[in-house]
C-alpha cells in the first residue's frame, strides 16, 4: 500500500529508505495497522496534519448547527422540531468529541476556535450555503449527512486512536441523521401537495453540487491526500469517496422520484459506476476562501455566541470553584 502511494505520484511522499530510524518505526507501525496513541512518538508533520484535519472537522460540526438552527422555530410539527433539536445537539456533541481528540495532540482549543472566528481556519464548504425552505432540512440530513457518513465511516479506521474512536460514536449518530433527512423528503414526496414536492426538488437542485464538493478537490488538486494516505489518516482519496457517495445516492434519488441537476449523470455499465458532470471548482475555492453566500454570517453568529455566552461560562466556573472549596473545607 505504501509503495503504491509513492508510485501514484499525486504528490511524492518520503520513501522508507529516506526516513530517520524513528520515522521508519512509526511508518512500519502504521503499515501494520497499529493505532498511534497520544503518548507515542510521531513526526511533527503527522501531528500538524491531524490538528489541521481534526480541528477543521470539529469546526464543521459546530458551524453545521447553524443552517439547521434556522428552522427550529419553524419546524412543521412538534415531532419534527424534537428530531431537529436532537440532531443539532448531536452535532454539538460531535464537535466536543473532536475538540477533545484534537487536544490529545497538544493543540489548544481556545486558540483553534479563535482561528475559526478570525477566519484563519477552514470548516466544511457546505455550511456556507443557506437553508431556504423546510425541504432543505430533509436534503441536509440526506445529502449532507449522507456525504459526511461516506467520508466518516472510513475515518473510523484512521491511524490516530482518539480520532478513530470519536468517529465510531459519531457515525452511529450520523446514520440516524441521514435517515431522518430522507424520511422528511419521502414524506413530502409521498404525502405532499405539488408545492411541497417542488420544494423537495428545489432543495436537491441547490444542495446537490455543494454536497459533492464536501469531499474536497479532485485528487490531482489535493495537496494533502498522498501523505495523509501514506499515514492512513485518510483511507480513500477524495475522488474515490465522492464516487462512492454518488453510487449510493442515485438509487435513493430515484425512489424519491426526483432528479439531480446534472444532465451528465448516468450509469456506466463498463465502469460499474455512475458518470457525472464537471464540478464547478471555482465556486468551491471561492467558498473556502470565505466568499460563499453565508461565510460572513456564519462567523458572525459564532463570534456572537461566544460573547453572548461569556456570563454562562463565568457562572459555570464560579460554581465549579465553589464546589471545590466546599469539598476542600
Ligand atoms: N470544505 C472546506 N475546505 C475543504 C473542503 C471542504 N469541503 N475540502 C477540502 N478542503 C480544504 C482542505 O482542508 C485543505 O485545506 P488546508 O490545506 O488549507 O487545510 C484544502 O482544501 C485542500 O484539500 P485536501 O488536500 O484534499 O485536504 P484534506 O486531505 O484535508 O481532505 C477532507 C479534505 C476530505 C475534507 C478531509 O480533511 C477530511 O476527511 N476531513 C474530515 C471530515 C470532515 O471534516 N467533514 C466535515 C463535514 S461533515 C460534518 O460536519 C457533518
Amino acid at each position: 500500500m505504501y509503495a503504491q502511494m509513492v508510485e501514484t505520484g499525486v504528490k511524492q511522499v518520503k520513501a522508507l529508505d529516506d526516513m530517520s530510524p524513528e520515522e521508519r518505526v512509526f511508518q512500519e507501525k502504521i503499515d501494520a495497522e497499529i493505532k498511534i496513541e497520544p503518548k507515542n512518538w510521531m513526526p511533527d508533520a503527522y501531528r500538524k496534519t491531524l490538528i489541521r484535519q481534526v480541528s477543521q472537522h470539529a469546526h464543521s460540526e459546530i458551524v453545521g448547527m447553524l443552517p439547521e438552527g434556522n428552522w427550529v422555530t419553524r419546524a412543521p410539527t412538534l415531532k419534527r422540531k424534537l428530531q431537529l433539536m436532537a440532531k443539532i445537539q448531536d452535532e454539538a456533541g460531535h464537535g466536543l468529541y473532536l475538540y477533545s481528540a484534537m487536544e490529545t495532540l497538544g493543540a489548544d482549543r481556545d486558540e483553534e476556535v479563535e482561528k475559526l472566528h478570525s477566519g484563519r481556519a477552514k470548516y466544511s464548504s457546505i455550511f456556507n450555503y443557506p437553508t431556504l425552505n423546510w425541504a432543505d432540512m430533509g436534503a441536509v440530513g440526506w445529502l449532507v449527512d449522507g456525504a459526511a457518513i461516506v467520508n466518516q465511516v472510513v475515518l473510523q479506521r484512521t491511524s490516530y486512536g482518539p480520532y478513530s474512536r470519536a468517529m465510531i460514536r459519531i457515525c452511529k449518530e450520523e446514520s440516524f441523521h441521514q435517515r431522518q433527512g430522507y424520511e422528511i423528503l419521502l414524506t413530502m414526496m409521498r404525502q405532499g401537495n405539488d408545492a411541497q414536492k417542488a420544494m423537495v426538488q428545489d432543495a436537491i437542485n441547490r444542495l446537490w453540487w455543494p454536497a459533492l464538493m464536501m469531499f474536497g478537490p479532485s485528487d490531482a488538486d489535493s495537496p494533502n491526500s498522498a501523505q495523509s494516505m501514506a499515514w492512513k489518516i485518510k483511507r480513500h482519496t477524495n475522488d474515490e469517496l465522492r464516487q462512492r457517495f454518488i453510487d449510493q445516492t442515485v438509487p435513493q434519488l430515484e425512489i424519491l422520484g426526483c432528479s439531480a441537476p446534472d444532465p451528465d449523470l448516468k450509469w456506466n455499465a463498463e465502469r460499474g459506476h455512475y458518470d457525472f458532470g464537471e464540478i464547478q471548482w471555482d465556486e468551491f475555492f471561492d467558498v473556502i476562501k470565505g466568499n460563499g453566500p453565508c461565510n460572513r454570517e456564519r462567523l458572525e453568529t459564532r463570534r456572537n455566541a461566544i460573547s453572548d455566552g461569556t456570563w454562562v461560562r463565568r457562572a459555570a466556573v464560579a460554581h465549579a470553584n465553589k464546589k471545590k472549596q466546599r469539598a476542600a473545607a
Side-chain angles (χ1 to χ4, degrees):
M1 147 74 200
Y2 182 75
Q4 223 178 24
M5 271 313 304
V6 177
E7 276 165 25
T8 56
V10 181
K11 185 187 159 207
Q12 290 290 313
V13 292
K14 239 188 207 177
L16 274 181
D17 288 346
D18 300 332
M19 290 180 185
S20 68
E22 274 170 325
E23 276 178 301
R24 187 189 269 258
V25 170
F26 173 83
Q27 187 62 51
E28 282 167 355
K29 228 168 138 181
I30 298 235
D31 291 346
E33 299 290 336
I34 299 169
K35 293 269 179 264
I36 306 300
E37 296 298 340
K39 289 190 176 150
N40 298 156
W41 185 88
M42 60 185 85
D44 260 5
Y46 176 84
R47 189 185 297 279
K48 278 194 190 133
T49 298
L50 270 169
I51 293 175
R52 179 185 64 78
Q53 177 167 325
V54 179
S55 63
Q56 289 176 0
H57 195 166
H59 300 330
S60 304
E61 299 285 354
I62 300 297
V63 178
M65 296 161 73
L66 302 178
E68 293 178 312
N70 184 33
W71 280 91
V72 170
T73 55
R74 289 173 291 159
T77 64
L78 178 62
K79 180 181 124 185
R80 294 295 187 203
K81 190 193 283 262
L82 290 172
Q83 282 174 348
L84 191 57
M85 281 172 27
K87 178 179 189 299
I88 295 170
Q89 282 178 354
D90 285 352
E91 308 294 4
H94 299 172
L96 297 182
Y97 309 149
L98 289 165
Y99 282 129
S100 299
M102 178 199 79
E103 284 172 323
T104 66
L105 291 153
D108 182 87
R109 187 185 302 212
D110 291 341
E111 273 174 26
E112 296 305 320
V113 169
E114 175 43 33
K115 283 185 200 159
L116 169 71
H117 291 174
S118 59
R120 285 175 296 141
K122 293 193 173 75
Y123 57 90
S124 185
S125 48
I126 188 72
F127 301 121
N128 293 304
Y129 290 84
T131 44
L132 302 178
N133 71 45
W134 171 251
D136 285 18
M137 292 303 92
V140 166
W142 173 48
L143 293 176
V144 175
D145 292 88
I149 293 172
V150 168
N151 171 280
Q152 294 175 356
V153 159
V154 287
L155 284 175
Q156 294 178 111
R157 293 189 298 115
T158 194
S159 56
Y160 186 58
Y163 190 24
S164 149
R165 291 188 285 275
M167 290 320 304
I168 292 170
R169 169 110 186 240
I170 291 175
C171 281
K172 290 202 172 92
E173 293 175 351
E174 293 291 6
S175 151
F176 152 76
H177 298 170
Q178 195 262 0
R179 279 154 200 243
Q180 69 84 39
Y182 194 64
E183 200 261 337
I184 288 176
L185 298 184
L186 208 53
T187 305
M188 289 178 84
M189 290 305 292
R190 299 236 164 122
Q191 297 168 28
N193 57 29
D194 287 349
Q196 288 163 327
K197 290 178 188 168
M199 277 161 67
V200 173
Q201 185 60 59
D202 173 54
I204 294 170
N205 290 347
R206 283 179 291 103
L207 289 167
W208 179 262
W209 290 108
L212 299 190
M213 292 175 194
M214 284 175 71
F215 295 93
S218 63
D219 295 350
D221 293 321
S222 162
N224 303 299
S225 278
Q227 184 61 73
S228 287
M229 295 275 287
W231 280 330
K232 297 189 182 175
I233 291 174
K234 285 167 86 159
R235 314 291 304 222
H236 293 279
T237 70
N238 300 354
D239 285 335
E240 283 167 1
L241 292 177
R242 191 173 2 255
Q243 182 72 62
R244 184 178 291 186
F245 171 71
I246 292 172
D247 291 347
Q248 284 179 10
T249 305
V250 174
Q252 296 168 11
L253 183 69
E254 284 163 3
I255 293 170
L256 277 179
C258 293
S259 61
D262 178 0
D264 297 322
L265 184 71
K266 57 176 177 304
W267 178 249
N268 181 329
E270 218 171 281
R271 286 201 314 124
H273 294 290
Y274 283 91
D275 289 338
F276 56 98
E278 189 68 29
I279 292 175
Q280 297 300 310
W281 290 116
D282 289 352
E283 175 183 324
F284 168 78
F285 287 114
D286 218 30
V287 171
I288 68 172
K289 270 189 221 136
N291 301 321
C294 301
N295 295 61
R296 285 171 194 82
E297 182 188 327
R298 298 289 184 240
L299 289 190
E300 198 186 332
T301 309
R302 286 306 314 148
R303 282 193 292 265
N304 289 344
I306 289 284
S307 55
D308 293 351
T310 305
W311 70 271
V312 179
R313 292 193 302 280
R314 281 196 188 138
V317 169
H319 179 71
N321 286 342
K322 205 156 207 169
K323 249 178 134 180
K324 254 192 237 159
Q325 281 166 7
R326 271 202 215 110

